[in-house]
Amino acid sequence: MAGFRLQSSGLRALRPVAFGADPGGERMARIRRSPHFADGVFQNPGGTARTRPSGSTRDLAKLYLDKESRSRRAPRGAVPVHPTTLADISRAPATGLRLTWLGHSSVLADIDGHRVLFDPVWGERCSPFPFAGPKRLHPAPLPLTALGPVDVVVISHDHYDHLDLPTIKALAGTDTLFAVPLGVGAHLERWGVSAGRLRELDWHEATKVGGLTLTATPARHFCGRGLRNTQHTLWASWAVAGDEHRIYHSGDTGYFEGFKDIGADHGPFDATMIQVGAYSDFWPDIHMTPDEGVRAHLDLQGGDPAAGVLLPIHWGTFNLAPHPWAEPGEWMADAAAGAGQAVAFPRPGEPFEPAGQLPTEPWWRPLSAPVARHWDTAVSHGTAPAAPAAQAAPPVEGDLDLAGDR
């Protein structure tokens, strides 16, 4: 046993800093007291979620290695990133709420005089290593330093495509606060964020930042960054309420009935940011399809498609699943049109106000082969998204998966 401890100590010394840190001490004691922690791991709402691919590993590998399938998983040219400037995002939004999708799940929200930055990822790869793992399919719309002051950074969970070491280390040098799920603070402290700047929450706990109330709400997913997945850090969605507006960020999640409860407790929302990419029949419990994303949005809004705008996130920036690169956009356009739901399709970096004119151009189409529609739809192939209503794991996610984190 002594030899094993020496070996383990040596492995810890070689552990990449990007792996972060395991919770310990009072943080671990708090985790064990959580009503959502049982049998040594955090539990998902609605029971166990399959976090490893179902079906045949051979079929999954065959799908990933297929030459034609691979060619469809990336854009056929440069993604039209909006040339965002500091001046664009420094002006107060006329309606009090502005969202700027920065690619993948990264969104800057200007809400009631405050600035919230969700899941910021400026790194070139979502991986612990600079030489392997999924690489960005488009550049960040603007340098992180050009964002200007941010009141709070919100993290949904600790997978590499949501919690990015280079980005956090850069933000550690500012005075911004961080709102994170229970256990995730251990990573941030290792990377230079002081404990006094952390707001570490369990599901249904809330914190105040200025005039905003941020509440960690349930999600159906999992966690992990290293060679083994201890399930000792929580994953969450987030509800943010200001004096006049309410917004919701789903993080990564499978569909579950709890969206209705979140909406009843914290909605309706002026805008929701909903994960709709990196889905697969191989991991149906932990990511939503666009159809499920629209259903989740409507659950959050009490079934009313006129209650707020849906912003699709978690697509277009990294190749993380077998589906074609443009499929989430096409499927979401059809699903939203079928439900009569207002949906925004900004280019990465394009600011918009949910109560104003929404960006709806299908900007991805010139960069994609026609997408085969395998879903039921009332919108014919090739038509643009309907105008919105007027507004009055590949293999495993997280466990050192260099193919990509979903």
Side-chain angles (χ1 to χ4, degrees), residues 207-265:
T207 188
K208 295 281 289 186
V209 175
L212 300 180
T213 300
L214 297 90
T215 306
T217 48
R220 187 167 172 79
H221 201 57
F222 69 114
C223 64
R225 295 181 70 85
L227 292 171
R228 60 190 179 90
N229 191 343
T230 62
Q231 296 293 81
H232 285 170
T233 64
L234 188 59
W235 47 95
S237 57
W238 289 86
V240 179
D243 292 335
E244 301 292 336
H245 295 90
R246 294 170 180 264
I247 56 177
Y248 172 85
H249 190 284
S250 72
D252 278 0
T253 181
Y255 178 81
F256 67 111
E257 290 293 326
F259 290 116
K260 297 175 183 176
D261 295 329
I262 295 170
D265 291 342

Side-chain angles (χ1 to χ4, degrees), residues 139-151:
L142 76 171
L144 185 60
T145 53
L147 280 183
V150 173
D151 294 292

Side-chain angles (χ1 to χ4, degrees), residues 61-279:
K62 183 178 179 181
L63 180 61
Y64 265 89
L65 295 174
D66 178 75
K67 184 177 180 180
E68 182 177 355
S69 176
R70 286 206 316 270
S71 71
R72 292 174 176 269
R73 294 202 297 270
R76 297 180 171 184
V79 173
V81 174
H82 183 81
T84 314
T85 67
L86 179 59
D88 292 332
I89 56 179
S90 293
R91 290 189 292 269
T95 62
L97 175 63
R98 179 177 59 226
L99 301 179
T100 307
W101 181 50
L102 298 161
H104 202 56
S105 295
S106 303
V107 182
L108 176 67
D110 289 273
I111 173 171
D112 297 341
H114 298 79
R115 308 185 85 212
V116 183
L117 182 58
F118 294 94
D119 283 356
V121 174
W122 262 254
E124 279 300 303
R125 295 183 185 271
C126 44
S127 164
F129 306 115
F131 53 83
K135 192 174 183 179
R136 299 184 70 94
L137 299 174
H138 65 79
L142 76 171
L144 185 60
T145 53
L147 280 183
V150 173
D151 294 292
V152 59
V153 173
V154 175
I155 303 296
S156 63
H157 65 296
D158 70 359
H159 286 153
Y160 289 99
D161 57 325
H162 297 260
L163 181 61
D164 177 53
L165 170 63
T167 305
I168 297 301
K169 287 182 75 69
L171 290 167
T174 70
D175 59 359
T176 187
L177 300 176
F178 291 82
V180 303
L182 190 55
V184 174
H187 299 313
L188 272 62
E189 284 193 40
R190 188 182 183 203
W191 299 336
V193 178
S194 64
R197 290 165 55 199
L198 292 174
R199 305 292 184 267
E200 199 164 346
L201 306 182
D202 201 348
W203 290 342
H204 309 299
E205 292 181 343
T207 188
K208 295 281 289 186
V209 175
L212 300 180
T213 300
L214 297 90
T215 306
T217 48
R220 187 167 172 79
H221 201 57
F222 69 114
C223 64
R225 295 181 70 85
L227 292 171
R228 60 190 179 90
N229 191 343
T230 62
Q231 296 293 81
H232 285 170
T233 64
L234 188 59
W235 47 95
S237 57
W238 289 86
V240 179
D243 292 335
E244 301 292 336
H245 295 90
R246 294 170 180 264
I247 56 177
Y248 172 85
H249 190 284
S250 72
D252 278 0
T253 181
Y255 178 81
F256 67 111
E257 290 293 326
F259 290 116
K260 297 175 183 176
D261 295 329
I262 295 170
D265 291 342
H266 304 286
F269 299 97
D270 298 279
T272 68
M273 297 155 270
I274 302 289
Q275 170 265 306
V276 299
Y279 48 82

Side-chain angles (χ1 to χ4, degrees), residues 331-388:
W331 191 349
M332 174 53 71
D334 286 2
Q341 175 58 55
V343 61
F345 287 113
R347 293 166 172 79
E350 182 179 4
F352 72 95
E353 299 191 27
Q357 182 67 39
L358 299 183
T360 59
E361 180 187 353
W363 54 265
W364 59 86
R365 284 186 182 156
L367 306 176
S368 169
V371 174
R373 278 162 161 74
H374 55 81
W375 53 88
D376 292 331
T377 175
V379 182
S380 61
H381 178 75
T383 58

